[in-house]
Amino acid sequence: MMSGGAEIPPANGPWDAAAEAADPPPPAAAPQASAATKAVNCPNCGGSVEMRAAGYSVSVACQYCGSILDVATPEVALIERYNEQVGDLPLPLGSRGWVKGHEYQIVGYVERATEDESWDEFLLFNPYYGYRWLVRDSEGWSFGTMLTSLPQTSGASAQYAAMQFYNEDGESWDASVSRVVGEFYWRVQRGDVARLTNFYSGDYSLSCEESAGEVNWTVSEPIGRGEMRGFARSDAPGGQLGLSQDPAADAAMAEATGTSAFADGAAPAKSGWMTGDLPGPFARAWTLVKIGGIAAGLMILIMIALAGRGMSEQKFPYQLQLDGPEKTVRFGPLRFDSSSQRVVIRTEAPGLDNAWIDTDVTLVERSSQRTIAAYGVVEHYSGSDSDGPWTEGSDSGSVKLASVPAGEYDLVVDASAHSWPAPNGWGGQTIMVETGISSGGIFFSNFILALFLLMIPPVFLIWRGFKGGK
Amino acid sequence: MRLGTILYALWATGISGWFLYAAIVGTSPFATTSQTSRGAGIYGPTHK
């Protein structure tokens, strides 16, 4: 993109924010009052030339004869005289439209060419967001933002805003201005030549332009379907240019982005993450995060709604002799009413230390004698060594059974307690044990698994964004 | 709306549906369905 490297008016876009770390200047600081519309007369043809960014523009190309005018001072001076008809532009100067959620007006047009190809560059202006570029080449439309800080370059690569760009062939070209119409914040005229070097990252590109000892960087991002509306002239179908011209969609875009920034005293349109200012993969990841957040919220509501369902815990105390014989105890009846449910069997032995309790628990359905068996262990150890005292394990443990069918059950527990280290012979201390059984509730592991699955796509997009993909 | 967004919305709906089903029937891929004793296991602290 062509630019003069002089003062660049407000440009509070995402790329500028990236350069200014986490504290970009507030959009309201943009001096929109000085960006006024006024007209000057062309000294060559006498035509009235409308200036749409007066106060910022220093040169204007007359739309009637193409002459370049110096408007930096009140006395409009002729920089270069042309006496040819300026043909119709692909998009008319002064037309307004929306790109990536913000409204802009076309204030300038430059046609540039190398030996092999030519392309169109439209200079856009918004009093709050400053200047941007709308570029049309053989591959379609792209949206350019002038950088206010230098990317980090190393050989054939450049890094900006956490994205890595590459110019693998190391190529650069001379591009000259073949046609210019409108107003610009630097002096531009036909025949101006700049040396272009492009770095690519997927559909994104970083352009370095060198001319007259100045270096300017611009980052370009692709414009997706529906991200650009308006602009097209009334007598040329916008569809031919790849533009949407659905009036209802334009109205919806205007409503979504707030009141027009060009209206007197209007508030700036929304900016930041919510309007897609993030680079592509991150913006898409943010959209997915919002959808995933809704799904996670729904699952939390499900957990809350089903939390009180099922049978509350029933407790059964018994005694075990440490290092004694295995003991079998039977508890029941236990009624599970739901057709299928989660059942938790908890064993607790308060004060257990340097010992473990084996528990073989079996649910026996009374009518069919069908069994569901599980195994649990409760173990707790403590001691002291050169590092100081230590403990390990817990004096309670639980077994969670899934999909237990409805019915009337007995709980059979085969339990034995053992000391550590192994004793010499049988007999010893009596241990109080309590087994509790409850049904209902939700496996929290399901929630963790669901969150993990929900995060895979957005995390992948974020990873791809940092890797420089589109 | 992008195709990817629609596909992700379907993905999220499927996960939420599975979560609701699992909550109602009380199942989990990590839960015990039926298990017998670990037999002659190794007991004792694993400290150090």
Side-chain angles (χ1 to χ4, degrees):
Chain A
M1 266 57 64
M2 192 80 193
S3 76
E7 253 178 82
I8 296 180
N12 298 326
W15 306 102
D16 306 292
E20 294 163 15
D23 190 22
Q32 77 277 16
S34 61
T37 299
K38 76 173 194 178
V40 298
N41 290 325
C42 174
N44 183 43
C45 68
S48 177
V49 180
E50 188 179 4
M51 292 177 59
R52 299 172 181 85
Y56 295 131
S57 300
V58 298
S59 72
V60 173
C62 173
Q63 69 257 43
Y64 303 108
C65 67
S67 295
I68 309 296
L69 316 181
D70 182 350
V71 293
T73 59
E75 299 79 27
V76 177
L78 193 62
I79 298 175
E80 189 166 354
R81 183 188 304 273
Y82 292 107
N83 286 306
E84 60 186 60
Q85 181 68 36
V86 176
D88 286 344
L89 304 179
L91 299 178
L93 288 184
S95 62
R96 293 178 186 176
W98 290 269
V99 186
K100 294 187 178 291
H102 296 306
E103 188 181 17
Y104 293 95
Q105 186 174 31
I106 295 177
V107 297
Y109 167 77
V110 179
E111 183 185 64
R112 308 179 72 193
T114 62
E115 288 182 354
D116 301 324
E117 62 174 337
S118 67
W119 64 94
D120 302 312
E121 296 184 356
F122 297 88
L123 183 61
L124 307 179
F125 180 72
N126 176 301
Y128 294 102
Y129 298 103
Y131 289 103
R132 296 289 189 276
W133 285 103
L134 189 59
V135 180
R136 185 179 69 155
D137 58 19
S138 58
E139 295 183 357
W141 294 94
S142 58
F143 186 62
T145 302
M146 291 72 79
L147 302 187
T148 54
S149 64
L150 289 176
Q152 293 180 340
T153 56
S154 174
S157 68
Q159 184 178 2
Y160 192 78
M163 289 180 73
Q164 197 74 28
F165 298 82
Y166 299 95
N167 176 8
E168 291 173 353
D169 299 330
E171 289 184 318
S172 58
W173 310 268
D174 282 331
S176 61
V177 175
S178 55
R179 191 177 174 198
V180 56
V181 184
E183 57 191 281
F184 302 88
Y185 56 85
W186 76 100
R187 299 188 194 286
V188 57
Q189 54 190 321
R190 280 204 284 181
D192 283 354
V193 177
R195 187 74 178 167
L196 292 185
T197 306
N198 287 343
F199 298 81
Y200 298 96
S201 175
D203 283 348
Y204 291 75
S205 67
L206 202 55
S207 298
C208 174
E209 297 191 11
E210 299 172 78
S211 61
E214 293 179 350
V215 179
N216 296 290
W217 288 84
T218 304
V219 64
S220 295
E221 53 188 310
I223 297 177
R225 195 173 61 181
E227 289 186 319
M228 181 169 75
R229 293 188 178 279
F231 291 124
R233 54 194 318 125
S234 57
D235 58 345
Q240 294 176 4
L241 299 169
L243 291 170
S244 168
Q245 280 202 296
D246 179 3
D250 287 353
M253 181 72 81
E255 185 178 351
T257 55
T259 310
S260 168
F262 296 95
D264 291 340
K270 290 186 291 183
S271 65
W273 283 39
M274 305 307 291
T275 53
D277 273 356
L278 289 169
F282 300 110
R284 289 201 293 279
W286 175 236
T287 302
L288 300 196
V289 165
K290 287 187 282 187
I291 294 172
I294 292 171
L298 186 65
M299 287 187 279
I300 290 172
L301 288 178
I302 291 170
M303 284 195 290
I304 293 171
L306 299 181
R309 209 178 53 136
M311 183 187 78
S312 58
E313 186 177 68
Q314 294 190 32
K315 298 175 182 175
F316 308 99
Y318 54 97
Q319 294 181 344
L320 288 176
Q321 190 175 12
L322 191 61
D323 299 315
E326 181 177 87
K327 186 173 186 178
T328 298
V329 287
R330 176 182 285 262
F331 309 109
L334 305 163
R335 173 167 288 281
F336 303 136
D337 294 324
S338 297
S339 59
S340 177
Q341 57 245 292
R342 166 182 179 262
V343 171
V344 178
I345 301 169
R346 184 184 55 80
T347 303
E348 187 173 340
L352 184 74
D353 190 33
N354 287 330
W356 76 88
I357 299 173
D358 274 326
T359 56
D360 282 312
V361 293
T362 307
L363 280 172
V364 182
E365 210 277 324
R366 285 192 169 185
S367 60
S368 66
Q369 291 298 298
R370 185 182 57 208
T371 62
I372 300 172
Y375 169 78
V377 63
V378 177
E379 51 189 337
H380 182 265
Y381 310 101
S382 66
S384 183
D385 59 18
S386 58
D387 292 334
W390 57 267
T391 63
E392 188 177 311
S394 169
D395 59 6
S396 68
S398 63
V399 173
K400 299 181 177 71
L401 298 171
S403 303
V404 176
E408 196 169 73
Y409 287 83
D410 284 321
L411 173 63
V412 179
V413 180
D414 296 317
S416 58
H418 310 271
S419 61
W420 176 88
N424 296 320
W426 293 97
Q429 176 186 354
T430 298
I431 297 173
M432 295 300 300
V433 184
E434 183 180 78
T435 292
I437 181 167
S438 62
S439 71
I442 287 176
F443 287 102
F444 194 73
S445 57
N446 286 353
F447 184 63
I448 301 299
L449 176 63
L451 285 183
F452 175 75
L453 294 174
L454 285 172
M455 283 193 302
I456 291 175
V459 167
F460 172 72
L461 279 178
I462 292 170
W463 171 80
R464 204 166 63 169
F466 280 115
K467 293 287 284 183
K470 63 179 181 178
Chain B
M1 187 179 286
R2 286 174 175 273
L3 177 63
T5 305
I6 294 170
L7 290 176
Y8 181 76
L10 289 173
W11 170 251
T13 303
I15 292 172
S16 301
W18 166 78
F19 182 82
L20 176 63
Y21 167 78
I24 290 172
V25 304
T27 188
S28 167
F30 307 112
T32 304
T33 50
S34 186
Q35 182 184 338
T36 55
S37 169
R38 69 180 178 186
I42 298 171
Y43 298 95
T46 56
H47 179 77
K48 286 201 170 179

